[in-house]
Amino acid sequence: MRAWGVRGELIAIPMSDHLERFQNLGRVYLFGNGTQFEVESARNVPGSVIFKFRGIDSMDDAERWRGAEVRIPREERLEPDPDEFFIGDLIGCEVVERGTGGSLGFVTGWDEGGAAGLLQVGADLLIPFARSICVSIDVTGKRIEVDLPEGLKDLNRS
């Protein structure tokens, strides 16, 4: 996120295709530090959303939030489509290999690298979040079954 204009607006790149949903938000958290803000307005521009938050009224105010993430409280989120997932719901899932059932560890983070993003598993394994690799995802059961191409484990381990 970064400042936009002189009235304290901030521009963010959404991680959802449902851009209309941002126009009805009541409150969000800005991370860095997790401060809650009331959303005064949100408007879509190609590839981005411009937010105005109550209490952020100047470019200087907005600059303090450069690089912050907008996080929507769970109770204000739309339900994802059946083939969509919230990144936060993937964190903590156990990743197991298809066929052997062997555990590769637990999802500890997300990396925007790659076309589909990468699951960070443990401290040193990156797995592309692609349908051909992540063949079964059960966020309720906290389990992701993967079919890894040969050599991927060794390639991505640091």
Side-chain angles (χ1 to χ4, degrees):
M1 199 161 55
R2 63 180 170 81
W4 178 265
V6 296
R7 291 176 277 160
E9 293 176 309
L10 291 139
I11 189 166
I13 298 171
M15 297 183 78
S16 169
D17 294 333
H18 304 286
L19 297 179
E20 70 283 352
R21 84 86 55 254
F22 297 109
Q23 296 170 359
N24 297 316
L25 286 175
R27 62 190 171 93
V28 298
Y29 294 93
L30 297 185
F31 277 74
N33 65 4
T35 303
Q36 183 175 316
F37 283 94
E38 183 179 337
V39 178
E40 288 184 4
S41 66
R43 67 183 191 276
N44 301 327
V45 295
S48 300
V49 177
I50 297 175
F51 289 100
K52 174 65 179 85
F53 301 111
R54 186 169 314 282
I56 300 177
D57 298 314
S58 70
M59 183 182 288
D60 287 340
D61 291 344
E63 271 302 319
R64 292 184 207 134
W65 294 99
R66 176 180 289 276
E69 292 179 18
V70 176
R71 295 194 183 170
I72 299 170
R74 187 169 293 278
E75 62 273 8
E76 290 206 31
R77 293 180 187 171
L78 294 177
E79 282 299 312
D81 290 336
D83 59 342
E84 295 179 328
F85 305 94
F86 293 118
I87 292 171
D89 291 341
L90 299 173
I91 308 298
C93 286
E94 183 176 19
V95 179
V96 297
E97 288 190 89
R98 178 186 235 178
T100 68
S103 179
L104 296 172
F106 292 86
V107 177
T108 56
W110 177 265
D111 189 310
E112 285 299 321
L118 299 165
L119 295 173
Q120 296 173 356
V121 179
D124 61 356
L125 179 60
L126 298 174
I127 297 176
F129 191 65
R131 288 197 188 289
S132 60
I133 294 173
C134 299
V135 294
S136 175
I137 302 167
D138 177 6
V139 294
T140 303
K142 303 301 276 178
R143 180 181 164 97
I144 300 172
E145 186 178 353
V146 296
D147 187 8
L148 299 180
E150 189 172 327
L152 182 77
K153 282 191 286 188
D154 296 329
L155 175 69
N156 285 326
R157 290 202 190 266
S158 48

